[in-house]
Coordinates of all heavy atoms in Angstrom, one line a residue:
M1 N 30.3 -30.9 -24.3 CA 30.9 -29.7 -24.7 C 31.8 -29.9 -26.0 O 32.4 -30.9 -26.1 CB 31.8 -29.1 -23.6 CG 32.5 -27.9 -24.0 SD 33.5 -27.3 -22.5 CE 34.1 -25.8 -23.2
I2 N 31.7 -29.0 -26.9 CA 32.5 -29.2 -28.2 C 33.8 -28.5 -28.0 O 33.9 -27.4 -27.4 CB 31.7 -28.4 -29.3 CG1 30.3 -29.0 -29.5 CG2 32.6 -28.5 -30.6 CD1 30.3 -30.4 -30.1
R3 N 34.9 -29.2 -28.4 CA 36.2 -28.6 -28.4 C 36.7 -28.7 -29.9 O 36.2 -29.5 -30.7 CB 37.1 -29.2 -27.4 CG 37.4 -30.7 -27.7 CD 38.4 -31.3 -26.6 NE 38.5 -32.7 -26.9 CZ 39.5 -33.2 -27.7 NH1 40.3 -32.4 -28.3 NH2 39.6 -34.5 -27.8
F4 N 37.7 -27.8 -30.2 CA 38.2 -27.7 -31.5 C 39.7 -28.0 -31.5 O 40.4 -27.6 -30.6 CB 37.9 -26.3 -32.1 CG 36.5 -26.0 -32.2 CD1 35.8 -25.4 -31.2 CD2 35.7 -26.5 -33.3 CE1 34.4 -25.1 -31.2 CE2 34.4 -26.2 -33.4 CZ 33.7 -25.5 -32.3
R5 N 40.1 -28.6 -32.6 CA 41.5 -28.9 -32.8 C 41.8 -29.1 -34.3 O 40.9 -29.5 -35.0 CB 42.1 -30.0 -31.9 CG 41.5 -31.4 -32.3 CD 42.3 -32.5 -31.6 NE 41.7 -33.8 -31.8 CZ 42.0 -34.5 -32.9 NH1 42.8 -34.1 -33.8 NH2 41.5 -35.7 -33.0
R6 N 43.1 -28.9 -34.6 CA 43.5 -29.1 -36.0 C 43.6 -30.7 -36.1 O 43.9 -31.4 -35.2 CB 44.9 -28.6 -36.2 CG 44.8 -27.0 -36.2 CD 45.5 -26.5 -37.5 NE 45.5 -25.1 -37.5 CZ 44.7 -24.4 -38.3 NH1 43.8 -25.0 -39.1 NH2 44.7 -23.1 -38.2
A7 N 43.3 -31.1 -37.3 CA 43.3 -32.6 -37.6 C 44.8 -33.0 -37.7 O 45.7 -32.2 -38.0 CB 42.6 -32.9 -38.9
E8 N 45.0 -34.2 -37.3 CA 46.3 -34.9 -37.4 C 46.2 -36.0 -38.5 O 45.1 -36.4 -38.8 CB 46.7 -35.4 -36.1 CG 46.8 -34.4 -35.0 CD 47.0 -34.9 -33.6 OE1 47.0 -36.1 -33.4 OE2 47.2 -34.1 -32.7
S9 N 47.3 -36.5 -38.9 CA 47.3 -37.5 -40.0 C 46.4 -38.7 -39.6 O 45.7 -39.3 -40.4 CB 48.7 -38.0 -40.3 OG 49.4 -38.4 -39.2
D10 N 46.4 -39.1 -38.3 CA 45.6 -40.2 -37.8 C 44.0 -40.0 -38.0 O 43.2 -40.9 -38.0 CB 45.9 -40.5 -36.4 CG 47.3 -41.1 -36.2 OD1 47.9 -41.5 -37.2 OD2 47.7 -41.2 -35.0
D11 N 43.6 -38.7 -38.1 CA 42.2 -38.3 -38.2 C 41.7 -38.4 -39.7 O 40.5 -38.4 -39.9 CB 42.0 -36.9 -37.7 CG 42.4 -36.7 -36.3 OD1 42.0 -37.5 -35.4 OD2 43.1 -35.7 -36.0
L12 N 42.6 -38.4 -40.6 CA 42.2 -38.2 -42.0 C 41.3 -39.3 -42.5 O 40.4 -39.0 -43.3 CB 43.5 -38.2 -42.9 CG 43.4 -37.4 -44.2 CD1 42.7 -36.0 -44.0 CD2 44.7 -37.2 -44.9
A13 N 41.5 -40.6 -42.1 CA 40.6 -41.6 -42.6 C 39.1 -41.4 -42.1 O 38.2 -41.5 -42.9 CB 41.1 -43.0 -42.1
A14 N 38.9 -40.9 -40.9 CA 37.6 -40.6 -40.4 C 37.0 -39.4 -41.1 O 35.8 -39.4 -41.4 CB 37.7 -40.4 -38.9
V15 N 37.8 -38.4 -41.3 CA 37.4 -37.2 -42.0 C 36.9 -37.6 -43.4 O 35.9 -37.1 -43.9 CB 38.4 -36.1 -42.0 CG1 38.0 -35.0 -42.9 CG2 38.7 -35.6 -40.6
K16 N 37.7 -38.4 -44.1 CA 37.4 -38.8 -45.5 C 36.0 -39.6 -45.5 O 35.2 -39.4 -46.4 CB 38.5 -39.6 -46.1 CG 39.7 -38.9 -46.6 CD 40.7 -39.7 -47.2 CE 41.9 -39.0 -47.7 NZ 42.9 -39.8 -48.4
K17 N 35.9 -40.4 -44.5 CA 34.6 -41.2 -44.5 C 33.4 -40.3 -44.3 O 32.4 -40.5 -45.0 CB 34.7 -42.2 -43.3 CG 33.5 -43.1 -43.2 CD 33.7 -44.1 -42.0 CE 32.5 -45.0 -41.9 NZ 32.7 -45.9 -40.8
I18 N 33.5 -39.3 -43.4 CA 32.4 -38.4 -43.2 C 32.2 -37.5 -44.5 O 31.1 -37.3 -44.9 CB 32.7 -37.5 -42.0 CG1 32.7 -38.3 -40.7 CG2 31.6 -36.4 -41.9 CD1 33.2 -37.6 -39.5
A19 N 33.3 -37.0 -45.1 CA 33.2 -36.2 -46.3 C 32.5 -36.9 -47.4 O 31.7 -36.4 -48.2 CB 34.6 -35.7 -46.7
R20 N 32.9 -38.2 -47.6 CA 32.3 -39.0 -48.7 C 30.8 -39.2 -48.4 O 30.0 -39.2 -49.4 CB 33.0 -40.4 -48.8 CG 34.3 -40.3 -49.5 CD 34.9 -41.7 -49.7 NE 36.3 -41.6 -50.2 CZ 37.3 -42.0 -49.6 NH1 37.2 -42.6 -48.4 NH2 38.5 -41.8 -50.1
R21 N 30.4 -39.4 -47.2 CA 29.0 -39.6 -46.8 C 28.2 -38.3 -47.2 O 27.0 -38.4 -47.6 CB 28.9 -39.9 -45.3 CG 27.5 -40.3 -44.9 CD 27.4 -40.7 -43.5 NE 28.6 -40.9 -42.8 CZ 28.8 -40.6 -41.5 NH1 27.9 -40.1 -40.8 NH2 30.0 -40.9 -40.9
F22 N 28.8 -37.2 -47.1 CA 28.2 -35.9 -47.4 C 28.4 -35.4 -48.9 O 28.0 -34.3 -49.3 CB 28.7 -34.8 -46.5 CG 28.4 -35.0 -45.0 CD1 29.2 -34.5 -44.1 CD2 27.3 -35.8 -44.6 CE1 29.0 -34.7 -42.7 CE2 27.1 -36.0 -43.3 CZ 27.9 -35.5 -42.3
A23 N 29.1 -36.3 -49.6 CA 29.5 -36.0 -51.1 C 30.3 -34.7 -51.2 O 30.1 -33.9 -52.1 CB 28.2 -35.9 -51.9
L24 N 31.2 -34.5 -50.2 CA 32.1 -33.3 -50.2 C 33.4 -33.7 -50.9 O 33.7 -34.8 -51.1 CB 32.4 -32.9 -48.8 CG 31.2 -32.4 -48.0 CD1 31.6 -32.2 -46.5 CD2 30.6 -31.2 -48.6
D25 N 34.1 -32.6 -51.3 CA 35.4 -32.8 -52.0 C 36.4 -33.5 -51.2 O 36.7 -33.1 -50.0 CB 35.9 -31.4 -52.3 CG 37.3 -31.4 -53.0 OD1 37.7 -32.4 -53.6 OD2 37.9 -30.3 -53.0
T26 N 36.9 -34.6 -51.7 CA 37.9 -35.4 -51.0 C 39.3 -35.4 -51.7 O 40.2 -36.1 -51.3 CB 37.5 -36.8 -50.7 OG1 37.2 -37.4 -52.0 CG2 36.3 -36.9 -49.8
E27 N 39.4 -34.6 -52.8 CA 40.6 -34.6 -53.6 C 41.7 -33.9 -52.8 O 41.5 -32.8 -52.3 CB 40.3 -33.8 -54.9 CG 41.4 -33.9 -55.9 CD 41.0 -33.2 -57.2 OE1 39.8 -33.2 -57.6 OE2 42.0 -32.7 -57.8
D28 N 42.9 -34.5 -52.9 CA 44.1 -33.9 -52.3 C 44.0 -33.5 -50.8 O 44.5 -32.5 -50.4 CB 44.6 -32.7 -53.1 CG 45.0 -33.1 -54.6 OD1 45.5 -34.3 -54.7 OD2 44.7 -32.4 -55.5
M29 N 43.2 -34.3 -50.0 CA 43.0 -33.9 -48.7 C 44.3 -34.1 -47.9 O 45.0 -35.1 -48.0 CB 41.9 -34.8 -48.0 CG 40.5 -34.5 -48.6 SD 39.3 -35.7 -48.0 CE 39.1 -35.2 -46.3
Q30 N 44.6 -33.1 -47.0 CA 45.7 -33.1 -46.1 C 45.2 -32.8 -44.7 O 44.4 -31.9 -44.6 CB 46.8 -32.2 -46.6 CG 47.3 -32.5 -48.0 CD 48.2 -31.3 -48.5 OE1 48.7 -30.5 -47.8 NE2 48.3 -31.3 -49.9
A31 N 45.8 -33.5 -43.8 CA 45.3 -33.3 -42.4 C 45.4 -31.8 -41.9 O 44.5 -31.3 -41.3 CB 46.1 -34.2 -41.4
D32 N 46.4 -31.1 -42.3 CA 46.6 -29.8 -41.8 C 45.6 -28.8 -42.4 O 45.6 -27.6 -42.0 CB 48.1 -29.3 -42.1 CG 48.4 -29.1 -43.6 OD1 47.7 -29.6 -44.4 OD2 49.5 -28.5 -43.8
Q33 N 44.7 -29.2 -43.3 CA 43.7 -28.4 -43.9 C 42.4 -28.3 -43.1 O 41.5 -27.5 -43.3 CB 43.3 -28.8 -45.3 CG 44.4 -28.8 -46.3 CD 44.0 -29.5 -47.6 OE1 43.2 -30.4 -47.7 NE2 44.5 -28.9 -48.7
F34 N 42.3 -29.2 -42.1 CA 41.1 -29.4 -41.4 C 41.1 -28.9 -39.9 O 42.0 -29.2 -39.1 CB 40.7 -30.9 -41.4 CG 40.3 -31.4 -42.7 CD1 41.2 -31.8 -43.6 CD2 39.0 -31.3 -43.1 CE1 40.9 -32.2 -44.9 CE2 38.6 -31.7 -44.4 CZ 39.5 -32.2 -45.3
M35 N 40.0 -28.3 -39.6 CA 39.6 -28.0 -38.2 C 38.5 -28.9 -37.8 O 37.5 -29.1 -38.5 CB 39.1 -26.5 -38.1 CG 38.7 -26.1 -36.7 SD 40.0 -26.2 -35.5 CE 41.2 -25.0 -36.2
L36 N 38.7 -29.6 -36.7 CA 37.8 -30.6 -36.2 C 37.0 -30.1 -35.0 O 37.5 -29.4 -34.2 CB 38.5 -31.9 -35.8 CG 39.4 -32.6 -36.8 CD1 40.0 -33.8 -36.2 CD2 38.6 -32.9 -38.1
A37 N 35.7 -30.5 -35.0 CA 34.8 -30.3 -33.8 C 34.7 -31.6 -33.2 O 34.4 -32.6 -33.8 CB 33.5 -29.8 -34.2
I38 N 35.1 -31.7 -31.9 CA 35.2 -33.0 -31.2 C 34.2 -32.9 -30.0 O 34.1 -32.0 -29.3 CB 36.6 -33.2 -30.6 CG1 37.6 -33.1 -31.7 CG2 36.6 -34.6 -29.9 CD1 37.6 -34.2 -32.7
H39 N 33.4 -34.0 -29.8 CA 32.5 -34.2 -28.7 C 32.6 -35.6 -28.2 O 32.5 -36.6 -29.0 CB 31.0 -33.9 -29.1 CG 30.1 -33.9 -28.0 ND1 29.6 -35.1 -27.5 CD2 29.6 -32.9 -27.2 CE1 28.8 -34.8 -26.5 NE2 28.8 -33.5 -26.3
D40 N 32.9 -35.8 -26.9 CA 33.0 -37.2 -26.4 C 34.1 -37.9 -27.2 O 33.9 -39.1 -27.5 CB 31.7 -37.9 -26.3 CG 30.8 -37.3 -25.3 OD1 31.2 -36.7 -24.3 OD2 29.6 -37.6 -25.5
D41 N 35.2 -37.3 -27.5 CA 36.3 -37.9 -28.2 C 35.9 -38.4 -29.6 O 36.6 -39.3 -30.2 CB 36.9 -39.1 -27.5 CG 37.6 -38.5 -26.2 OD1 38.2 -37.4 -26.2 OD2 37.5 -39.2 -25.2
K42 N 34.8 -37.9 -30.2 CA 34.4 -38.3 -31.6 C 34.4 -37.0 -32.4 O 34.0 -36.0 -32.0 CB 33.1 -39.0 -31.6 CG 33.1 -40.3 -30.9 CD 31.7 -40.9 -30.9 CE 31.7 -42.2 -30.1 NZ 30.3 -42.7 -30.0
I43 N 34.7 -37.2 -33.7 CA 34.6 -36.1 -34.6 C 33.1 -35.9 -35.0 O 32.4 -36.8 -35.5 CB 35.4 -36.4 -35.9 CG1 36.9 -36.5 -35.7 CG2 35.2 -35.2 -37.0 CD1 37.7 -37.0 -36.8
V44 N 32.6 -34.7 -34.7 CA 31.2 -34.4 -35.0 C 31.0 -33.4 -36.1 O 29.9 -33.1 -36.5 CB 30.4 -34.0 -33.7 CG1 30.4 -35.1 -32.7 CG2 31.0 -32.7 -33.1
G45 N 32.2 -32.9 -36.5 CA 32.1 -31.9 -37.6 C 33.5 -31.5 -38.0 O 34.5 -31.7 -37.3
F46 N 33.6 -30.9 -39.2 CA 34.9 -30.4 -39.6 C 34.7 -29.3 -40.6 O 33.7 -29.1 -41.3 CB 35.8 -31.5 -40.2 CG 35.2 -32.1 -41.4 CD1 35.3 -31.6 -42.7 CD2 34.5 -33.3 -41.3 CE1 34.7 -32.1 -43.8 CE2 33.9 -33.9 -42.4 CZ 34.0 -33.3 -43.6
G47 N 35.8 -28.5 -40.8 CA 35.9 -27.5 -41.8 C 37.2 -27.6 -42.5 O 38.2 -27.9 -41.9
R48 N 37.2 -27.5 -43.8 CA 38.5 -27.6 -44.6 C 38.9 -26.2 -45.1 O 38.1 -25.6 -45.8 CB 38.3 -28.5 -45.7 CG 39.5 -28.8 -46.6 CD 39.2 -29.7 -47.7 NE 40.5 -30.1 -48.4 CZ 40.5 -30.8 -49.5 NH1 39.3 -31.3 -50.0 NH2 41.6 -31.1 -50.1
L49 N 40.1 -25.8 -44.9 CA 40.6 -24.6 -45.3 C 41.7 -24.9 -46.3 O 42.8 -25.4 -46.0 CB 41.1 -23.7 -44.2 CG 41.3 -22.3 -44.4 CD1 40.0 -21.6 -44.8 CD2 41.9 -21.6 -43.1
K50 N 41.5 -24.6 -47.6 CA 42.4 -24.8 -48.7 C 43.2 -23.5 -49.0 O 42.6 -22.5 -49.1 CB 41.7 -25.3 -49.9 CG 41.0 -26.6 -49.7 CD 40.0 -27.0 -50.8 CE 40.7 -27.4 -52.1 NZ 39.7 -27.9 -53.1
K51 N 44.5 -23.7 -49.0 CA 45.4 -22.5 -49.3 C 45.6 -22.3 -50.8 O 45.8 -23.2 -51.5 CB 46.7 -22.7 -48.6 CG 46.6 -22.7 -47.1 CD 48.0 -22.8 -46.5 CE 47.8 -22.8 -45.0 NZ 49.1 -22.9 -44.3
H52 N 45.4 -21.1 -51.2 CA 45.7 -20.6 -52.6 C 46.7 -19.5 -52.5 O 47.0 -19.0 -51.4 CB 44.4 -20.1 -53.3 CG 43.4 -21.2 -53.4 ND1 43.4 -22.1 -54.4 CD2 42.3 -21.5 -52.6 CE1 42.4 -23.0 -54.3 NE2 41.7 -22.6 -53.2
P53 N 47.3 -19.1 -53.6 CA 48.4 -18.1 -53.5 C 48.1 -16.8 -52.7 O 48.9 -16.4 -51.9 CB 48.7 -17.8 -54.9 CG 48.4 -19.0 -55.7 CD 47.2 -19.6 -55.0
D54 N 46.9 -16.3 -52.9 CA 46.6 -15.0 -52.2 C 45.4 -15.1 -51.2 O 45.1 -14.1 -50.5 CB 46.3 -13.9 -53.2 CG 47.5 -13.6 -54.1 OD1 48.6 -13.6 -53.6 OD2 47.3 -13.4 -55.3
I55 N 44.7 -16.2 -51.2 CA 43.5 -16.3 -50.3 C 43.5 -17.7 -49.7 O 44.2 -18.6 -50.1 CB 42.2 -16.1 -51.2 CG1 42.1 -17.2 -52.3 CG2 42.2 -14.7 -51.7 CD1 40.7 -17.3 -52.8
L56 N 42.5 -17.9 -48.8 CA 42.1 -19.2 -48.3 C 40.7 -19.5 -48.7 O 39.9 -18.6 -48.7 CB 42.3 -19.1 -46.7 CG 43.6 -18.8 -46.2 CD1 43.5 -18.5 -44.7 CD2 44.6 -19.9 -46.5
E57 N 40.4 -20.7 -49.0 CA 39.1 -21.2 -49.4 C 38.5 -22.1 -48.4 O 39.1 -23.1 -48.0 CB 39.2 -21.9 -50.7 CG 37.9 -22.5 -51.2 CD 38.0 -23.4 -52.4 OE1 39.2 -23.5 -52.9 OE2 37.0 -24.0 -52.7
L58 N 37.3 -21.8 -47.9 CA 36.6 -22.8 -47.0 C 36.0 -23.8 -48.0 O 35.0 -23.5 -48.7 CB 35.5 -22.1 -46.2 CG 34.6 -22.9 -45.3 CD1 35.5 -23.6 -44.3 CD2 33.6 -22.1 -44.6
G59 N 36.7 -24.9 -48.1 CA 36.4 -25.9 -49.2 C 35.4 -26.9 -48.8 O 34.7 -27.4 -49.7
S60 N 35.2 -27.2 -47.6 CA 34.2 -28.2 -47.1 C 33.8 -27.9 -45.7 O 34.7 -27.5 -44.9 CB 34.8 -29.6 -47.2 OG 35.1 -30.0 -48.5
L61 N 32.6 -28.1 -45.4 CA 32.1 -28.0 -44.0 C 31.1 -29.1 -43.8 O 30.2 -29.2 -44.6 CB 31.5 -26.6 -43.8 CG 30.9 -26.3 -42.5 CD1 32.0 -26.2 -41.4 CD2 30.1 -25.0 -42.5
G62 N 31.3 -29.9 -42.8 CA 30.4 -31.0 -42.5 C 30.1 -31.2 -41.1 O 31.0 -31.0 -40.2
V63 N 28.9 -31.5 -40.7 CA 28.5 -31.8 -39.4 C 27.7 -33.1 -39.4 O 26.8 -33.3 -40.2 CB 27.6 -30.7 -38.7 CG1 27.2 -31.0 -37.4 CG2 28.4 -29.4 -38.7
V64 N 28.0 -34.1 -38.5 CA 27.3 -35.3 -38.5 C 25.8 -35.0 -38.2 O 25.4 -34.1 -37.5 CB 27.9 -36.3 -37.4 CG1 29.3 -36.7 -37.8 CG2 27.8 -35.8 -36.0
K65 N 25.0 -35.9 -38.7 CA 23.5 -35.7 -38.7 C 23.0 -35.5 -37.2 O 22.1 -34.6 -37.0 CB 22.8 -36.9 -39.3 CG 21.3 -36.8 -39.4 CD 20.7 -37.9 -40.1 CE 19.2 -37.8 -40.3 NZ 18.7 -38.9 -41.1
E66 N 23.5 -36.2 -36.3 CA 23.1 -36.1 -34.9 C 23.3 -34.7 -34.3 O 22.7 -34.4 -33.3 CB 23.7 -37.2 -34.0 CG 23.5 -38.6 -34.5 CD 24.4 -39.0 -35.7 OE1 25.5 -38.5 -35.8 OE2 23.9 -39.9 -36.5
R67 N 24.3 -34.0 -34.8 CA 24.6 -32.7 -34.2 C 24.1 -31.5 -35.0 O 24.4 -30.4 -34.7 CB 26.1 -32.6 -34.0 CG 26.7 -33.7 -33.1 CD 26.2 -33.6 -31.7 NE 26.6 -32.3 -31.1 CZ 26.5 -31.9 -29.9 NH1 26.0 -32.8 -29.0 NH2 26.9 -30.8 -29.5
R68 N 23.5 -31.7 -36.1 CA 23.0 -30.6 -37.0 C 21.9 -29.8 -36.3 O 21.2 -30.4 -35.5 CB 22.5 -31.2 -38.3 CG 23.6 -31.7 -39.2 CD 23.0 -32.1 -40.5 NE 24.1 -32.8 -41.3 CZ 24.0 -33.5 -42.4 NH1 22.7 -33.6 -42.8 NH2 25.0 -34.0 -43.0
G69 N 21.9 -28.6 -36.5 CA 21.0 -27.7 -35.9 C 21.4 -27.2 -34.5 O 20.6 -26.5 -33.8
S70 N 22.5 -27.6 -34.0 CA 23.0 -27.3 -32.7 C 24.0 -26.2 -32.7 O 24.6 -25.8 -31.6 CB 23.5 -28.5 -32.0 OG 24.7 -28.9 -32.6
G71 N 24.4 -25.6 -33.9 CA 25.3 -24.5 -34.0 C 26.8 -25.0 -34.2 O 27.7 -24.1 -34.2
V72 N 27.0 -26.3 -34.4 CA 28.4 -26.8 -34.5 C 29.0 -26.2 -35.8 O 30.1 -25.8 -35.8 CB 28.4 -28.3 -34.6 CG1 29.8 -28.9 -34.9 CG2 28.0 -28.9 -33.2
G73 N 28.2 -26.2 -36.9 CA 28.8 -25.7 -38.2 C 29.2 -24.2 -38.0 O 30.3 -23.8 -38.5
K74 N 28.4 -23.4 -37.4 CA 28.7 -22.0 -37.1 C 29.9 -21.9 -36.3 O 30.8 -21.1 -36.6 CB 27.5 -21.3 -36.5 CG 27.8 -19.9 -36.1 CD 26.6 -19.2 -35.4 CE 26.9 -17.8 -35.0 NZ 25.9 -17.2 -34.3
M75 N 30.0 -22.7 -35.3 CA 31.2 -22.7 -34.4 C 32.5 -23.0 -35.1 O 33.6 -22.4 -34.9 CB 31.0 -23.6 -33.2 CG 30.0 -23.0 -32.2 SD 29.9 -24.0 -30.6 CE 29.0 -25.4 -31.2
I76 N 32.4 -24.0 -36.0 CA 33.6 -24.4 -36.8 C 34.0 -23.2 -37.7 O 35.2 -22.9 -37.8 CB 33.2 -25.6 -37.7 CG1 33.0 -26.9 -36.8 CG2 34.4 -25.9 -38.7 CD1 32.4 -28.0 -37.6
V77 N 33.1 -22.6 -38.4 CA 33.4 -21.5 -39.3 C 34.0 -20.3 -38.4 O 35.0 -19.8 -38.8 CB 32.2 -21.0 -40.0 CG1 32.5 -19.6 -40.7 CG2 31.7 -22.0 -41.0
E78 N 33.5 -20.0 -37.3 CA 34.0 -19.0 -36.4 C 35.4 -19.3 -36.0 O 36.3 -18.5 -35.9 CB 33.1 -18.8 -35.2 CG 31.8 -18.1 -35.5 CD 30.8 -18.0 -34.4 OE1 31.0 -18.8 -33.4 OE2 29.9 -17.3 -34.5
E79 N 35.7 -20.6 -35.6 CA 37.0 -21.0 -35.2 C 38.0 -20.9 -36.4 O 39.1 -20.4 -36.2 CB 36.9 -22.5 -34.7 CG 38.2 -23.0 -34.1 CD 38.4 -22.4 -32.7 OE1 37.4 -22.0 -32.0 OE2 39.6 -22.4 -32.2
I80 N 37.6 -21.3 -37.6 CA 38.4 -21.2 -38.7 C 38.8 -19.7 -39.0 O 39.9 -19.3 -39.3 CB 37.8 -21.9 -40.0 CG1 37.9 -23.4 -39.8 CG2 38.5 -21.4 -41.3 CD1 37.1 -24.1 -40.9
L81 N 37.8 -18.8 -39.0 CA 38.0 -17.4 -39.3 C 38.9 -16.8 -38.3 O 39.7 -15.9 -38.6 CB 36.6 -16.7 -39.4 CG 35.8 -17.1 -40.6 CD1 34.4 -16.4 -40.5 CD2 36.5 -16.8 -41.9
E82 N 38.7 -17.2 -37.0 CA 39.6 -16.6 -36.0 C 41.0 -17.0 -36.2 O 41.9 -16.2 -35.9 CB 39.1 -17.1 -34.6 CG 39.8 -16.5 -33.4 CD 39.2 -17.0 -32.1 OE1 38.0 -16.8 -32.0 OE2 40.0 -17.4 -31.3
R83 N 41.3 -18.2 -36.7 CA 42.7 -18.6 -36.8 C 43.3 -18.3 -38.2 O 44.5 -18.5 -38.4 CB 42.7 -20.1 -36.6 CG 42.4 -20.6 -35.2 CD 42.5 -22.0 -35.0 NE 42.0 -22.5 -33.8 CZ 42.5 -23.6 -33.1 NH1 43.5 -24.2 -33.7 NH2 42.0 -24.0 -32.0
A84 N 42.4 -17.9 -39.1 CA 42.9 -17.7 -40.5 C 43.9 -16.6 -40.6 O 43.8 -15.5 -39.9 CB 41.7 -17.4 -41.4
E85 N 44.9 -16.8 -41.4 CA 46.0 -15.8 -41.6 C 45.8 -14.9 -42.8 O 46.6 -14.1 -43.1 CB 47.3 -16.6 -41.8 CG 47.6 -17.5 -40.6 CD 48.6 -18.6 -41.0 OE1 49.1 -18.7 -42.1 OE2 48.9 -19.4 -40.1
N86 N 44.7 -15.1 -43.5 CA 44.4 -14.3 -44.7 C 42.9 -14.3 -44.9 O 42.1 -14.9 -44.2 CB 45.1 -15.0 -45.9 CG 45.4 -14.0 -47.1 OD1 44.8 -13.0 -47.2 ND2 46.3 -14.4 -47.9
D87 N 42.4 -13.6 -46.0 CA 41.0 -13.6 -46.3 C 40.5 -15.0 -46.6 O 41.2 -15.8 -47.2 CB 40.7 -12.7 -47.5 CG 41.0 -11.2 -47.1 OD1 40.9 -10.8 -46.0 OD2 41.2 -10.4 -48.1
V88 N 39.3 -15.3 -46.2 CA 38.7 -16.6 -46.4 C 37.5 -16.4 -47.4 O 36.6 -15.6 -47.1 CB 38.3 -17.3 -45.1 CG1 37.6 -18.6 -45.4 CG2 39.5 -17.5 -44.2
Y89 N 37.4 -17.2 -48.4 CA 36.3 -17.2 -49.4 C 35.7 -18.6 -49.4 O 36.3 -19.6 -49.0 CB 36.9 -16.8 -50.8 CG 37.3 -15.4 -50.8 CD1 38.6 -15.1 -50.5 CD2 36.5 -14.4 -51.2 CE1 39.1 -13.8 -50.5 CE2 36.9 -13.1 -51.3 CZ 38.2 -12.8 -50.9 OH 38.7 -11.5 -50.9
I90 N 34.5 -18.6 -49.9 CA 33.8 -19.9 -50.1 C 33.1 -19.9 -51.4 O 32.7 -18.9 -52.0 CB 32.6 -20.0 -49.0 CG1 32.0 -21.4 -49.1 CG2 31.6 -18.9 -49.1 CD1 31.1 -21.8 -47.9
T91 N 33.2 -21.1 -52.0 CA 32.5 -21.3 -53.3 C 31.6 -22.5 -53.2 O 31.8 -23.4 -52.3 CB 33.6 -21.6 -54.4 OG1 34.3 -22.8 -54.1 CG2 34.5 -20.4 -54.6
T92 N 30.6 -22.6 -54.0 CA 29.8 -23.8 -54.0 C 29.4 -24.2 -55.4 O 29.4 -23.4 -56.3 CB 28.5 -23.6 -53.2 OG1 27.7 -24.8 -53.2 CG2 27.7 -22.4 -53.8
V93 N 29.2 -25.5 -55.6 CA 28.8 -26.0 -56.9 C 27.4 -26.6 -56.8 O 27.0 -27.3 -57.8 CB 29.8 -27.1 -57.5 CG1 31.2 -26.4 -57.8 CG2 30.0 -28.2 -56.5
I94 N 26.8 -26.4 -55.7 CA 25.4 -27.0 -55.5 C 24.5 -25.9 -56.0 O 24.4 -24.8 -55.4 CB 25.2 -27.3 -54.0 CG1 26.2 -28.3 -53.5 CG2 23.8 -27.8 -53.8 CD1 26.2 -28.5 -52.0
P95 N 23.7 -26.1 -57.1 CA 22.9 -25.1 -57.7 C 21.9 -24.4 -56.8 O 21.7 -23.2 -56.9 CB 22.2 -25.9 -58.8 CG 23.0 -27.1 -59.1 CD 23.7 -27.4 -57.8
D96 N 21.3 -25.1 -55.9 CA 20.2 -24.5 -55.1 C 20.7 -24.1 -53.7 O 20.0 -23.8 -52.8 CB 19.1 -25.5 -54.9 CG 18.4 -25.8 -56.2 OD1 18.3 -24.9 -57.1 OD2 17.9 -26.9 -56.4
F97 N 22.0 -24.1 -53.5 CA 22.6 -23.8 -52.2 C 22.7 -22.3 -52.0 O 23.0 -21.5 -52.8 CB 24.0 -24.4 -52.1 CG 24.5 -24.3 -50.7 CD1 24.0 -25.1 -49.7 CD2 25.5 -23.4 -50.4 CE1 24.5 -25.0 -48.4 CE2 26.0 -23.4 -49.1 CZ 25.5 -24.2 -48.1

């Protein structure tokens, strides 16, 4: 079963490692920006919510290879949107995405 929780400072090294593996933005990462998906006490995915003056940006979303296609990414986004205090936007720099 997947459970969700906000990242803590002790989680940041693991999140950075996964983000680098996926070539995601690791600039100015702060633990409080991340929602984690946990399975068997391991991080299997995360979403990053970056705060801007008037909006929130879904800055990164990653799911470990073994859990892709199982709906974890969708569940992370739903969890983030449910907890968001403002409108959430997404941008991408991947041309074919």
Side-chain angles (χ1 to χ4, degrees):
M1 179 175 184
I2 302 289
R3 63 184 176 85
F4 298 93
R5 68 171 174 81
R6 293 231 180 254
E8 299 172 356
S9 57
D10 292 347
D11 299 313
L12 207 49
V15 171
K16 281 183 180 180
K17 183 177 179 181
I18 296 169
R20 285 187 187 114
R21 190 174 346 144
F22 299 152
L24 297 174
D25 177 20
T26 58
E27 188 176 331
D28 299 323
M29 291 174 73
Q30 299 170 22
D32 66 348
Q33 297 174 327
F34 288 89
M35 176 63 61
L36 305 180
I38 309 291
H39 184 280
D40 291 336
D41 295 322
K42 294 180 184 173
I43 298 171
V44 296
F46 61 82
R48 181 181 187 186
L49 200 58
K50 296 167 76 174
K51 293 182 181 183
H52 296 279
D54 297 321
I55 63 162
L56 300 169
E57 173 193 356
L58 181 58
S60 298
L61 180 67
V63 176
V64 296
K65 187 175 183 178
E66 301 80 26
R67 300 296 297 191
R68 290 185 186 165
S70 66
V72 172
K74 178 182 177 183
M75 289 187 284
I76 293 168
V77 171
E78 288 172 344
E79 190 73 23
I80 287 172
L81 293 176
E82 185 175 308
R83 295 181 187 213
E85 301 159 0
N86 205 340
D87 291 335
V88 177
Y89 292 84
I90 185 168
T91 60
T92 181
V93 294
I94 303 170
D96 295 327
F97 190 74

